[in-house]
Amino acid sequence: MGVILGIESSCDETAAALVDGARRILAQHIASQDEAHRPYGGVVPEIAARAHAEKLAPLIEATLADAGMALDDVDAIAATAGPGLIGGVMVGLVSAKALAMATGKPLIAINHLEGHALSPRLADASLEFPYALLLVSGGHCQVLRVEGVGRYRRLATTIDDALGEAFDKTAKILGLGYPGGPAVERLALEGDPRAVPLPRPLVGSGEPHFSFAGLKSAVLRAKDSGKYRDADLAASFQQAAIDCVVDRLKIALASAGEVTALVVAGGVAANRAMRAALERLATEYALPFVAPPLSLCTDNAAMIAWAGVERHAMGQSDPLDFVARPRWPLDPDAAAVRGAGVKG
Ligand code: KG4
Ligand code: ZN
């Protein structure tokens, strides 16, 4: 029953956590960089890397202190090794390598997406493979069949923007600042989801992929027209996004084979309207719906430590010369899709 130290630094959250094989989060700390990036309306990679470098070591110390543990009590050190902003990833990975080298403990290089994909199993001990996972964050928008640790079949991906990115861009159009998802969700509560006619890109298509670029452009045109209230724009955008996700998921589920549950993970899983729609879909398909608590949905180190627990239990570790990977698809066999660029 190992204790794993997890380190996360792939985007704009610096985080450390200690998790054990009994699914206990012994301690964790997260330092958000929202304030540093807010003036720019998005994450600035250079600022992010510097902030990770400043904050990570004290965060790891504080996490160990909270758990009343020393590095010697840890069984392995797991760090996000990609995909993500390479400067930040390198800060976390190099720190993990240094700790592993100094203590002689194994290093486990974690795919950030695997962290998200396995996090529901940290929250729910009864969740068995294979499950269908909707992974929706700022950088990623995929449906995966999670068949085991390290075994993923990608059923769908986005051909342009990720869903969180669409929320963030809509927030920017509406002048709501960064990060955009929670702000759009709050404003949408005061709006009418039917007030603004917006497109549902790819809805009705036989391929399960996502597209949000056209939706974002339509929000921009509607805003520029001056005809609509911002709250109505936010609510209508959110509804269009949810309609797209539900329609696309239905196509993906048709090719998923047997699954034990419909699971959602990633930052956008924090959206309550999205969760409610997914729960209805799961009920329709007679599947249990699993959504980790919000604190495990957005970027965190507990999910990285947990992926470390799962890999450590299988006897896996990585060499100290493991190279950070800015791109790292979970399913290397997935066919490239039209227009898909940097989304893995
Ligand atoms: O998983 P995450 O913390 O980081 C990435 O790996 O990208 O996801 C962050 C994304 C951002 O785009 C943010 O706007 C979105 O998740 N998000 C939300 C909500 N909370 C966070 N989107 C919609 N509604 C929310 N409540
Ligand atoms: Zn993430």
Side-chain angles (χ1 to χ4, degrees):
M1 195 132 311
V3 175
I4 309 293
L5 171 66
I7 294 173
E8 162 59 33
S9 60
S10 66
C11 191
D12 60 345
E13 255 91 36
T14 318
L18 287 160
V19 174
D20 72 9
R23 293 183 160 76
R24 287 182 302 198
I25 300 174
L26 304 174
Q28 68 169 325
H29 277 271
I30 302 187
S32 159
Q33 305 172 4
D34 287 353
E35 289 303 325
H37 300 291
R38 186 161 288 134
Y40 307 96
V43 179
V44 184
E46 179 61 27
I47 293 176
R50 276 167 183 259
H52 290 305
E54 281 166 19
K55 288 177 185 167
L56 185 56
L59 268 181
I60 293 171
E61 277 192 329
T63 304
L64 287 165
D66 281 6
M69 295 179 103
L71 268 179
D72 266 349
D73 304 319
V74 168
D75 292 283
I77 294 148
T80 296
L85 300 173
I86 192 67
V89 171
M90 284 174 68
V91 169
L93 183 59
V94 168
S95 304
K97 287 178 180 179
L99 295 176
M101 204 180 293
T103 57
K105 309 281 180 182
L107 169 76
I108 307 178
I110 301 294
N111 183 321
H112 177 85
L113 299 174
E114 175 164 77
H116 280 301
L118 298 178
S119 66
R121 282 168 53 83
L122 168 57
D124 185 343
S126 69
L127 180 60
E128 301 281 354
F129 301 120
Y131 50 88
L133 173 76
L134 172 69
L135 174 53
V136 275
S137 71
H140 302 280
C141 187
Q142 309 186 347
V143 183
L144 295 158
R145 185 172 199 265
V146 181
E147 298 174 345
V149 178
R151 291 172 48 219
Y152 307 94
R153 185 152 67 85
R154 198 192 70 195
L155 304 172
T157 188
T158 178
I159 63 169
D160 43 54
D161 294 348
L163 182 54
E165 199 177 351
F167 269 90
D168 292 336
K169 287 177 176 171
T170 295
K172 210 167 179 180
I173 292 166
L174 300 179
L176 297 177
Y178 173 85
V184 170
E185 179 174 20
R186 263 194 310 278
L187 187 58
L189 290 174
E190 297 157 29
D192 174 0
R194 291 173 309 273
V196 187
L198 292 172
R200 268 80 173 148
L202 292 183
V203 163
S205 146
E207 296 270 335
H209 300 307
F210 300 89
S211 168
F212 295 107
L215 175 56
K216 167 205 67 191
S217 308
V219 172
L220 181 59
R221 281 194 300 276
K223 167 75 180 168
D224 286 347
S225 76
K227 287 200 293 195
Y228 305 104
R229 293 167 59 227
D230 282 357
D232 289 341
L233 285 163
S236 299
F237 161 78
Q238 183 171 280
Q239 189 58 51
I242 290 170
D243 290 350
C244 291
V245 167
V246 168
D247 178 79
R248 311 290 61 223
L249 253 178
K250 284 181 177 173
I251 306 295
L253 285 173
S255 64
E258 284 282 303
V259 288
T260 61
L262 174 62
V263 182
V264 63
V268 185
N271 187 287
R272 284 172 184 79
M274 181 72 67
R275 281 186 184 233
L278 294 172
E279 193 156 14
R280 281 195 297 276
L281 183 68
T283 307
E284 206 178 297
Y285 281 71
L287 288 171
F289 175 63
V290 177
L294 301 189
S295 58
L296 277 181
C297 283
T298 50
D299 283 351
N300 66 87
M303 71 181 190
I304 303 303
W306 173 252
V309 169
E310 298 242 43
R311 286 197 170 268
H312 186 66
M314 296 169 75
Q316 296 182 9
S317 64
D318 293 287
L320 288 176
D321 61 358
F322 193 98
V323 177
R325 300 178 183 173
R327 296 195 59 193
W328 189 358
L330 275 182
D331 176 1
D333 299 329
V337 296
R338 173 176 60 95
V342 294
K343 315 300 176 197

